[in-house]
Amino acid sequence: GDSVTQMEGPVTLSEEAFLTINCTYTATGYPSLFWYVQYPGEGLQLLLKATKADDKGSNKGFEATYRKETTSFHLEKGSVQVSDSAVYFCALRGAQKLVFGQGTRLTINP
Amino acid sequence: GAVVSQHPSRVICKSGTSVKIECRSLDFQATTMFWYRQFPKKSLMLMATSNEGSKATYEQGVEKDKFLINHASLTLSTLTVTSAHPEDSSFYICSGEASYNEQFFGPGTRLTVL
């Protein structure tokens, strides 16, 4: 079945550091790919998405490119802020339902 | 984005009792709602998909008689955990689907069964 594997956390960085959270997937067909973010005490929010190969999703300085050849959708940000501290989930949607990775907790220190 | 609320946010109950969790889409109509369970440091696992006015579709391994789902209107779905036991303690999250590929998530309900 479809599955998503993402980088184990927790990840701790200093403010203004470069961020990469790795995500790879296994799926039949051509899924849509997503990154969700969960801030403390809140529900999951869609951060960005890509619906086909080579698409780049971007939002709030975060980017991820749909790489079909490597079945990856790594999340990157050039300069993180303390307010980016949250749990990040990579997900795919195949025929009907969302399948999530295990989540990566990110902490940014000032 | 659209807003989904859940109530209660946190509940503690005794073993053997039943607990109802509400999920509401506040500013959109959700023809489909999803219920997830999240274990500590684990991913969200889909429990069931419900469409307004029809029976929920449960994922393999999820007990239908234990986790009762009702989707009575386009803005409300409920999950009832019947005869709860400590192993049912978890974080339950709902989401509503407003359009294809766009799901909006509630803040979650933490259930603790003593």
PDB file of all heavy atoms in Angstrom, chain A residues 47-63:
ATOM      1  N   LEU A  47       0.614  23.334   4.624  1.00  0.00           N
ATOM      2  CA  LEU A  47       1.717  24.268   4.413  1.00  0.00           C
ATOM      3  C   LEU A  47       1.957  24.481   2.926  1.00  0.00           C
ATOM      4  O   LEU A  47       2.068  25.605   2.454  1.00  0.00           O
ATOM      5  CB  LEU A  47       2.988  23.732   5.091  1.00  0.00           C
ATOM      6  CG  LEU A  47       4.245  24.576   4.971  1.00  0.00           C
ATOM      7  CD1 LEU A  47       4.033  25.952   5.583  1.00  0.00           C
ATOM      8  CD2 LEU A  47       5.424  23.872   5.639  1.00  0.00           C
ATOM      9  N   LEU A  48       2.057  23.386   2.195  1.00  0.00           N
ATOM     10  CA  LEU A  48       2.232  23.488   0.747  1.00  0.00           C
ATOM     11  C   LEU A  48       1.902  22.147   0.114  1.00  0.00           C
ATOM     12  O   LEU A  48       1.809  21.128   0.804  1.00  0.00           O
ATOM     13  CB  LEU A  48       3.653  23.919   0.389  1.00  0.00           C
ATOM     14  CG  LEU A  48       4.822  23.130   0.960  1.00  0.00           C
ATOM     15  CD1 LEU A  48       5.132  21.906   0.121  1.00  0.00           C
ATOM     16  CD2 LEU A  48       6.069  24.001   1.068  1.00  0.00           C
ATOM     17  N   LYS A  49       1.735  22.167  -1.197  1.00  0.00           N
ATOM     18  CA  LYS A  49       1.408  20.934  -1.895  1.00  0.00           C
ATOM     19  C   LYS A  49       1.932  20.973  -3.321  1.00  0.00           C
ATOM     20  O   LYS A  49       2.254  22.032  -3.864  1.00  0.00           O
ATOM     21  CB  LYS A  49      -0.095  20.690  -1.908  1.00  0.00           C
ATOM     22  CG  LYS A  49      -0.880  21.695  -2.744  1.00  0.00           C
ATOM     23  CD  LYS A  49      -2.374  21.347  -2.713  1.00  0.00           C
ATOM     24  CE  LYS A  49      -3.162  22.324  -3.577  1.00  0.00           C
ATOM     25  NZ  LYS A  49      -4.620  22.030  -3.531  1.00  0.00           N
ATOM     26  N   ALA A  50       2.009  19.775  -3.920  1.00  0.00           N
ATOM     27  CA  ALA A  50       2.377  19.648  -5.328  1.00  0.00           C
ATOM     28  C   ALA A  50       1.583  18.478  -5.901  1.00  0.00           C
ATOM     29  O   ALA A  50       1.447  17.441  -5.251  1.00  0.00           O
ATOM     30  CB  ALA A  50       3.881  19.397  -5.477  1.00  0.00           C
ATOM     31  N   THR A  51       1.055  18.663  -7.064  1.00  0.00           N
ATOM     32  CA  THR A  51       0.145  17.655  -7.600  1.00  0.00           C
ATOM     33  C   THR A  51       0.734  16.823  -8.729  1.00  0.00           C
ATOM     34  O   THR A  51       0.146  15.804  -9.109  1.00  0.00           O
ATOM     35  CB  THR A  51      -1.153  18.312  -8.096  1.00  0.00           C
ATOM     36  OG1 THR A  51      -0.810  19.298  -9.068  1.00  0.00           O
ATOM     37  CG2 THR A  51      -1.895  18.967  -6.942  1.00  0.00           C
ATOM     38  N   LYS A  52       1.872  17.229  -9.272  1.00  0.00           N
ATOM     39  CA  LYS A  52       2.479  16.409 -10.322  1.00  0.00           C
ATOM     40  C   LYS A  52       3.990  16.564 -10.306  1.00  0.00           C
ATOM     41  O   LYS A  52       4.532  17.491  -9.693  1.00  0.00           O
ATOM     42  CB  LYS A  52       1.924  16.768 -11.698  1.00  0.00           C
ATOM     43  CG  LYS A  52       2.170  18.177 -12.142  1.00  0.00           C
ATOM     44  CD  LYS A  52       1.490  18.413 -13.488  1.00  0.00           C
ATOM     45  CE  LYS A  52       1.860  19.754 -14.084  1.00  0.00           C
ATOM     46  NZ  LYS A  52       1.433  20.892 -13.275  1.00  0.00           N
ATOM     47  N   ALA A  53       4.639  15.647 -11.000  1.00  0.00           N
ATOM     48  CA  ALA A  53       6.101  15.598 -11.004  1.00  0.00           C
ATOM     49  C   ALA A  53       6.701  16.929 -11.436  1.00  0.00           C
ATOM     50  O   ALA A  53       6.190  17.588 -12.348  1.00  0.00           O
ATOM     51  CB  ALA A  53       6.561  14.470 -11.921  1.00  0.00           C
ATOM     52  N   ASP A  54       7.765  17.316 -10.719  1.00  0.00           N
ATOM     53  CA  ASP A  54       8.535  18.540 -10.953  1.00  0.00           C
ATOM     54  C   ASP A  54       7.831  19.804 -10.480  1.00  0.00           C
ATOM     55  O   ASP A  54       8.410  20.892 -10.557  1.00  0.00           O
ATOM     56  CB  ASP A  54       8.933  18.699 -12.428  1.00  0.00           C
ATOM     57  CG  ASP A  54       9.798  17.549 -12.909  1.00  0.00           C
ATOM     58  OD1 ASP A  54      10.603  17.043 -12.095  1.00  0.00           O
ATOM     59  OD2 ASP A  54       9.658  17.141 -14.071  1.00  0.00           O
ATOM     60  N   ASP A  55       6.617  19.684  -9.984  1.00  0.00           N
ATOM     61  CA  ASP A  55       5.950  20.836  -9.374  1.00  0.00           C
ATOM     62  C   ASP A  55       6.704  21.236  -8.125  1.00  0.00           C
ATOM     63  O   ASP A  55       7.185  20.387  -7.378  1.00  0.00           O
ATOM     64  CB  ASP A  55       4.513  20.478  -8.980  1.00  0.00           C
ATOM     65  CG  ASP A  55       3.526  20.813 -10.059  1.00  0.00           C
ATOM     66  OD1 ASP A  55       3.934  21.265 -11.138  1.00  0.00           O
ATOM     67  OD2 ASP A  55       2.322  20.607  -9.821  1.00  0.00           O
ATOM     68  N   LYS A  56       6.750  22.536  -7.850  1.00  0.00           N
ATOM     69  CA  LYS A  56       7.328  23.016  -6.599  1.00  0.00           C
ATOM     70  C   LYS A  56       6.225  23.703  -5.816  1.00  0.00           C
ATOM     71  O   LYS A  56       5.606  24.653  -6.299  1.00  0.00           O
ATOM     72  CB  LYS A  56       8.477  23.992  -6.867  1.00  0.00           C
ATOM     73  CG  LYS A  56       9.081  24.574  -5.587  1.00  0.00           C
ATOM     74  CD  LYS A  56      10.111  25.661  -5.871  1.00  0.00           C
ATOM     75  CE  LYS A  56      11.420  25.080  -6.318  1.00  0.00           C
ATOM     76  NZ  LYS A  56      12.482  26.117  -6.427  1.00  0.00           N
ATOM     77  N   GLY A  57       6.016  23.226  -4.601  1.00  0.00           N
ATOM     78  CA  GLY A  57       5.090  23.918  -3.706  1.00  0.00           C
ATOM     79  C   GLY A  57       5.880  24.872  -2.834  1.00  0.00           C
ATOM     80  O   GLY A  57       7.009  24.595  -2.451  1.00  0.00           O
ATOM     81  N   SER A  58       5.282  26.024  -2.515  1.00  0.00           N
ATOM     82  CA  SER A  58       5.993  26.983  -1.672  1.00  0.00           C
ATOM     83  C   SER A  58       5.002  27.802  -0.862  1.00  0.00           C
ATOM     84  O   SER A  58       3.877  28.075  -1.307  1.00  0.00           O
ATOM     85  CB  SER A  58       6.878  27.908  -2.503  1.00  0.00           C
ATOM     86  OG  SER A  58       6.097  28.660  -3.404  1.00  0.00           O
ATOM     87  N   ASN A  59       5.440  28.174   0.350  1.00  0.00           N
ATOM     88  CA  ASN A  59       4.593  28.966   1.235  1.00  0.00           C
ATOM     89  C   ASN A  59       5.416  29.384   2.445  1.00  0.00           C
ATOM     90  O   ASN A  59       6.156  28.563   3.001  1.00  0.00           O
ATOM     91  CB  ASN A  59       3.368  28.157   1.685  1.00  0.00           C
ATOM     92  CG  ASN A  59       2.388  28.978   2.495  1.00  0.00           C
ATOM     93  OD1 ASN A  59       2.348  30.200   2.387  1.00  0.00           O
ATOM     94  ND2 ASN A  59       1.598  28.306   3.302  1.00  0.00           N
ATOM     95  N   LYS A  60       5.309  30.614   2.857  1.00  0.00           N
ATOM     96  CA  LYS A  60       5.970  31.123   4.058  1.00  0.00           C
ATOM     97  C   LYS A  60       7.477  30.866   4.042  1.00  0.00           C
ATOM     98  O   LYS A  60       8.080  30.646   5.096  1.00  0.00           O
ATOM     99  CB  LYS A  60       5.366  30.488   5.314  1.00  0.00           C
ATOM    100  CG  LYS A  60       3.879  30.773   5.504  1.00  0.00           C
ATOM    101  CD  LYS A  60       3.369  30.143   6.785  1.00  0.00           C
ATOM    102  CE  LYS A  60       1.896  30.403   6.963  1.00  0.00           C
ATOM    103  NZ  LYS A  60       1.351  29.798   8.195  1.00  0.00           N
ATOM    104  N   GLY A  61       8.086  30.873   2.882  1.00  0.00           N
ATOM    105  CA  GLY A  61       9.523  30.643   2.782  1.00  0.00           C
ATOM    106  C   GLY A  61       9.915  29.178   2.678  1.00  0.00           C
ATOM    107  O   GLY A  61      11.079  28.857   2.439  1.00  0.00           O
ATOM    108  N   PHE A  62       8.956  28.289   2.860  1.00  0.00           N
ATOM    109  CA  PHE A  62       9.210  26.858   2.719  1.00  0.00           C
ATOM    110  C   PHE A  62       8.999  26.441   1.266  1.00  0.00           C
ATOM    111  O   PHE A  62       8.144  26.987   0.574  1.00  0.00           O
ATOM    112  CB  PHE A  62       8.252  26.049   3.603  1.00  0.00           C
ATOM    113  CG  PHE A  62       8.495  26.177   5.068  1.00  0.00           C
ATOM    114  CD1 PHE A  62       7.873  27.174   5.809  1.00  0.00           C
ATOM    115  CD2 PHE A  62       9.347  25.301   5.727  1.00  0.00           C
ATOM    116  CE1 PHE A  62       8.099  27.300   7.169  1.00  0.00           C
ATOM    117  CE2 PHE A  62       9.568  25.410   7.085  1.00  0.00           C
ATOM    118  CZ  PHE A  62       8.946  26.411   7.805  1.00  0.00           C
ATOM    119  N   GLU A  63       9.778  25.449   0.843  1.00  0.00           N
ATOM    120  CA  GLU A  63       9.635  24.921  -0.508  1.00  0.00           C
ATOM    121  C   GLU A  63       9.791  23.403  -0.487  1.00  0.00           C
ATOM    122  O   GLU A  63      10.502  22.856   0.357  1.00  0.00           O
ATOM    123  CB  GLU A  63      10.732  25.476  -1.429  1.00  0.00           C
ATOM    124  CG  GLU A  63      10.632  26.945  -1.736  1.00  0.00           C
ATOM    125  CD  GLU A  63      11.712  27.375  -2.711  1.00  0.00           C
ATOM    126  OE1 GLU A  63      12.713  26.636  -2.844  1.00  0.00           O
ATOM    127  OE2 GLU A  63      11.563  28.443  -3.326  1.00  0.00           O
TER     128      GLU A  63
END
